[in-house]
Amino acid sequence: MSTEPDSAAEGIDWRSEASNVEMSRRDQLSELYEQKIRVPAAVAWSDSRTRLGLLIISVYLFMALVDVLGLWRDPSPNQAERFLGPFENMQYPLGTTNSGVDLLALIIDSTPFILLMVLAGGVWATTLAVAVGTLSGYKGGTVDTVITAISDFFMAIPGLPLVIVLAIALSPENPILLGVVLTINYWAGLGRSIRSQVLSIREASYVEASRTMGTSTPRIITKDVLPNIMPYVMVNFVLAARYTIFAAVGLYFIGVLPYSGQNWGVTLSNAYYQGGLFSMQALHWLLVPIIAIVGLAFGLILLSQGMDRIFNPRVRTRLTGESESVTEDTDTSTTEMI
């Protein structure tokens, strides 16, 4: 006589349970996609600043891709007539320099270097500032005292002389290293600002409730503290990126940073010293790199303002609620019509 339980007799459908487990996993993935990807993307895209910022940044990314793939000519002397104006010859739409170099080729050739430098500087400064400021503000005590003293030390060092000394000593030609060097002590002031915000958030009722329930410190920081400071962090990431652009261009302009090829700062310097500021014939040579610099900074600012809708919990909750309300009203009216 068999001692094995009769599954059919007990009314257990193992295939149904496996299906339910599979469906629950599918539902979890669907919910994760909804909360982390679709809803944030829809909320951000609803802001015209996000769309315009993405459009501008996409233009620069496209130029970088064109250069990486070699889809446009490399800049070289005597490749066209000297001092062609913008749109005089559509083969050289932005005109040429005093040595017949295609200005569009100069801008495209410099774009990957500039983007890598800006990204490295912004990520280095904001990541270090967030780590230092959050840890200092939340932990307090001896940790706060030590970190604050280190931040004060770096804030006391004049930024420009320090960068010039490091540039001369290291001669950084790698864009990532250059971005880090340019923002070597930029993080200190931002870290102090973040610390001040975390100090107030630490005393909030929902953070106290999490501590009372025994939630771990890393989870409290990632779930309760960071989401509330992310709008501020995003804005300061853009400020750090803008600072990196302007500092690099300025130092290239005065000849402090080493370079082995053309970039926007070098182009600007050459145009200025060749009379671009005083000659209408060469004015476009000066304006093209300026427009490229200002355009990238403007696109980053617009994108950061639009991203505030994603990272600001109050704004995102309100907009998500409005979206759900509109959807429910539409569904109700459709049902009534049927």
Side-chain angles (χ1 to χ4, degrees), residues 3-14 17:
T3 58
E4 295 181 1
D6 188 354
S7 299
E10 293 181 5
I12 300 176
D13 188 351
W14 298 106
E17 280 198 11

Side-chain angles (χ1 to χ4, degrees), residues 15 74 77 103 115 131 134 159 169 193 212 228 262 270 274-275 288 321 326:
R15 288 175 298 178
D74 292 330
L103 272 172
L115 292 183
T134 303
S193 301
T212 303
N228 284 280
Q262 291 284 349
N270 290 339
Q274 295 294 328
V288 166
V326 171

Side-chain angles (χ1 to χ4, degrees), residues 17-230:
E17 280 198 11
S19 176
N20 289 337
V21 171
E22 183 181 351
M23 287 299 293
S24 65
R25 290 176 181 172
R26 187 179 302 171
D27 291 341
Q28 290 175 357
L29 291 174
S30 176
E31 184 178 358
L32 184 65
Y33 166 78
E34 187 78 9
Q35 293 180 354
K36 301 297 183 182
I37 299 178
R38 196 195 68 80
V39 171
V43 169
W45 190 253
S46 64
D47 193 330
S48 59
R49 294 173 299 181
T50 306
R51 297 194 293 271
L52 182 56
L54 280 175
L55 177 62
I56 294 173
I57 300 300
S58 297
V59 171
Y60 287 90
L61 292 175
F62 177 73
M63 288 195 297
L65 184 63
V66 166
D67 181 68
V68 170
L69 297 179
L71 301 179
W72 193 261
R73 66 179 72 91
D74 292 330
S76 60
N78 301 317
Q79 62 186 169
E81 183 183 343
R82 298 171 61 250
F83 283 131
L84 278 176
F87 309 112
E88 283 187 19
N89 185 334
M90 293 312 296
Q91 287 187 337
Y92 311 97
L94 298 183
T96 59
T97 69
N98 66 333
S99 58
V101 180
D102 180 11
L103 272 172
L104 179 58
L106 280 176
I107 297 301
I108 290 176
D109 187 63
S110 307
T111 301
F113 182 94
I114 296 293
L115 292 183
L116 282 174
M117 180 190 67
V118 166
L119 182 63
V123 169
W124 158 261
T126 53
T127 300
L128 189 57
V130 168
V132 167
T134 303
L135 182 62
S136 175
Y138 187 80
K139 295 294 289 185
T142 305
V143 173
D144 183 27
T145 303
V146 172
I147 292 178
T148 301
I150 295 173
S151 299
D152 290 342
F153 172 75
F154 276 94
M155 288 176 65
I157 301 175
L160 183 59
L162 176 62
V163 170
I164 292 176
V165 169
L166 289 176
I168 294 173
L170 299 176
S171 297
E173 295 186 7
N174 182 283
I176 296 176
L177 177 60
L178 179 57
V180 172
V181 168
L182 291 172
T183 55
I184 191 67
N185 67 337
Y186 186 90
W187 60 269
L190 177 56
R192 289 295 300 270
S193 301
I194 291 174
R195 171 186 173 273
S196 301
Q197 295 204 10
V198 173
L199 283 173
S200 61
I201 294 173
R202 184 181 64 179
E203 306 302 327
S205 57
Y206 56 90
V207 177
E208 289 286 352
S210 297
R211 279 199 294 264
T212 303
M213 291 187 296
T215 306
S216 64
T217 298
R219 184 170 179 82
I220 292 175
I221 290 176
T222 55
K223 296 295 183 181
D224 296 330
V225 177
L226 288 179
N228 284 280
I229 64 173
M230 279 308 294

